[in-house]
Amino acid sequence: YSSMTTSNKYLMSIESAITKAHTDLTIAYNTKFPELEDLLPNPISYKNAIKVIQNEMDLTLINDELNSVAKLSSNQIITLSVASSTTAGEPLSTEQLEYVNECISHIDKVLDIKERLIHHVTQLMESLAPNTCVLIGPTLAARMVSTAGGISELSRIPACNLQVLGQHKATSASRAGMSTNIAAAASASVASGGNVAYKPHEGILSESDLYRAVPSHLQRKALKVIAAKLALALRCDYVNLESGRAKTKTSGLKFRTEIEEKFVKWEEPDKAQVVKALPNLLLITLKLDMYFSFGTSIDTIIDSLFFHFRASLNISRPDMTTKKRRGGKRMRLLKEKFTESEMMKQANRRGFSVESGEYGDDAMGMTLGMLEKSKDSSGNIRHVSVANKRKMRQANTKASRKRAEQMRAGQTNGLASSMVFTPVQGMELVNPDAMKDRVKEANRKWFSESSGFQSALPKKK
């Protein structure tokens, strides 16, 4: 385990070395082809392309080498050819080209060391993590451990992140040949040692044999199941490794069997509808012959047929009565939701002695009824006066009832007037605000700030 942990640390430092060497290579080669860095974001694809292009200005002459040696797709090759024809770069000098080749050879050496370490970790994985190796294979297990930085770190990653571990993302600027993320990820996977193109939301785990054995329409669903079981297998291996228990692959075999059975269940066709046995038609036919021979009434025959049919199917007589529904707020709202509006009631009504057309919708009865024409023949359907409008719901509480009584007490009739008829003076106009002025005057006299102390007793004469 210590050997594998040390190898994983070396793998992490190798990744940093590859990134640094890639930066030096891009700086050295930007003089020749500055657009290449954006078109090929993967360091290994970038290095392989430079190894083939060298100082060549016309890339159409080396299309075959770019495909066979650099492992570039046809869309990427076409895009590189178009970009090279319009580039502002200049050919490199001899010294600059030698430095570029030194950077390429340095990256090749680092990649060779990385491959050896991964092979060493792969050999150790079968003895250290047997459950994980049974589930996805030692090669993929070693790649995932090296990507995460160790078994301890990998066992802490949740299943939702395991399915995208090691994913190569392509930016909008790196979609060579206007391809999708899949094409960019394909070149990255092939260049890094993989043999399968990644789809969106997929990582190293999508190269497992369990995933590839499932049809394409079930692969996304299968990847989630594999990642969930892999998280359990990793934790089993880590606990056995830390506690010193015997490292067996029992759990891994159990998980793999469950996954395979589940995948087989998914691929099974839907079950056909169950065909129920028909009633005993021979017995019913004999009963019919007997009934008709004795002149039995048709109602008795129907009841008897229903009885035999029900007995043969072992069913009870259906209850045709309407079930009672309890009242309440829910049912009231449901009824109001499907209540016919006043406008629809008007549309469903038909007037007598109303002239109607002989052709088109009028002849078929598809009219607006009483809404079709108003009294003034203006055709405005809003002109119809609706007498019974739906009243707004009011809360039936003590406070709401008291408030309603107070509002009704303060209401005045619309026909009320300030004109008063008296038997002496006849017609008299009364100011309704006169009483309010008297109250204000009394308050100002007795309760104003300048009123002082006054006696309420009557003054003596």
Side-chain angles (χ1 to χ4, degrees), residues 128-422:
L128 296 176
N131 295 313
T132 306
C133 294
V134 167
L135 206 58
I136 61 173
T139 304
L140 293 184
R143 289 176 59 188
M144 295 188 72
V145 168
S146 62
T147 304
I151 294 182
S152 175
E153 290 78 5
L154 188 61
S155 63
R156 294 190 181 97
I157 298 177
C160 58
N161 294 337
L162 283 176
Q163 59 185 355
V164 295
L165 185 66
Q167 180 187 15
H168 293 273
K169 296 183 179 180
T171 59
S172 58
S174 65
R175 291 174 183 151
M178 293 179 291
S179 62
T180 60
N181 294 352
I182 299 176
S187 60
S189 175
V190 172
S192 61
N195 55 359
V196 180
Y198 294 147
K199 296 179 182 179
H201 310 292
E202 294 181 1
I204 300 174
L205 197 57
S206 62
E207 299 183 24
S208 61
D209 55 341
L210 287 173
Y211 176 81
R212 294 298 161 184
V214 178
S216 58
H217 67 281
L218 295 174
Q219 285 183 347
R220 181 69 62 84
K221 186 178 178 181
L223 187 62
K224 295 180 181 180
V225 176
I226 298 172
K229 295 298 183 182
L230 178 62
L232 297 177
L234 284 168
R235 289 161 191 171
C236 291
D237 290 332
Y238 177 68
V239 169
N240 292 337
L241 192 63
E242 287 294 323
S243 61
R245 300 175 186 173
K247 305 176 183 64
T248 61
K249 52 185 178 181
T250 307
S251 300
L253 292 173
K254 177 184 175 183
F255 294 151
R256 188 178 181 91
T257 304
E258 292 177 358
I259 292 174
E260 291 175 348
E261 291 177 354
K262 185 172 291 188
F263 290 173
V264 171
K265 192 73 174 178
W266 289 353
E267 297 182 30
E268 289 180 357
D270 296 335
K271 292 184 178 180
Q273 188 175 5
V274 178
V275 180
K276 297 181 180 179
L278 294 174
N280 194 343
L281 297 180
L282 180 60
L283 178 61
I284 294 176
T285 305
L286 294 176
K287 291 288 183 181
L288 274 176
D289 295 339
M290 183 181 65
Y291 288 146
F292 281 113
S293 62
F294 288 98
T296 311
S297 63
I298 190 66
D299 295 335
T300 307
I301 294 175
I302 293 175
D303 293 340
S304 178
L305 286 175
F306 181 78
F307 173 77
H308 289 293
F309 183 77
R310 183 182 60 187
S312 60
L313 293 182
N314 194 17
I315 59 177
S316 59
R317 182 184 295 273
D319 186 10
M320 304 302 293
T321 59
T322 305
K323 295 182 180 179
K324 293 183 179 180
R325 296 182 179 272
R326 62 183 296 272
K329 181 179 179 181
R330 183 179 299 176
M331 287 304 301
R332 187 164 58 250
L333 293 176
L334 183 63
K335 290 179 181 178
E336 290 180 1
K337 181 179 179 181
F338 296 100
T339 301
E340 189 178 20
S341 63
E342 294 293 336
M343 186 172 292
M344 291 303 299
K345 290 179 181 178
Q346 293 288 337
N348 292 332
R349 289 170 183 164
R350 297 293 179 268
F352 294 98
S353 302
V354 177
E355 183 181 359
S356 60
E358 298 181 0
Y359 304 99
D361 294 341
D362 293 345
M364 299 296 294
M366 301 170 61
T367 62
L368 295 178
M370 302 298 290
L371 291 177
E372 190 171 12
K373 291 183 180 180
S374 60
K375 295 180 180 179
D376 55 356
S377 301
S378 61
N380 186 7
I381 63 175
R382 296 184 181 274
H383 184 75
V384 179
S385 61
V386 180
N388 298 325
K389 293 184 178 179
R390 183 187 303 173
K391 296 182 180 180
M392 295 180 61
R393 295 192 306 272
Q394 296 179 355
N396 188 17
T397 60
K398 185 176 180 181
S400 62
R401 290 194 297 269
K402 184 178 180 181
R403 193 183 308 112
E405 291 176 0
Q406 293 175 354
M407 292 176 63
R408 285 195 296 269
Q411 288 179 354
T412 58
N413 191 1
L415 301 177
S417 175
S418 61
M419 186 177 297
V420 180
F421 294 91
T422 60

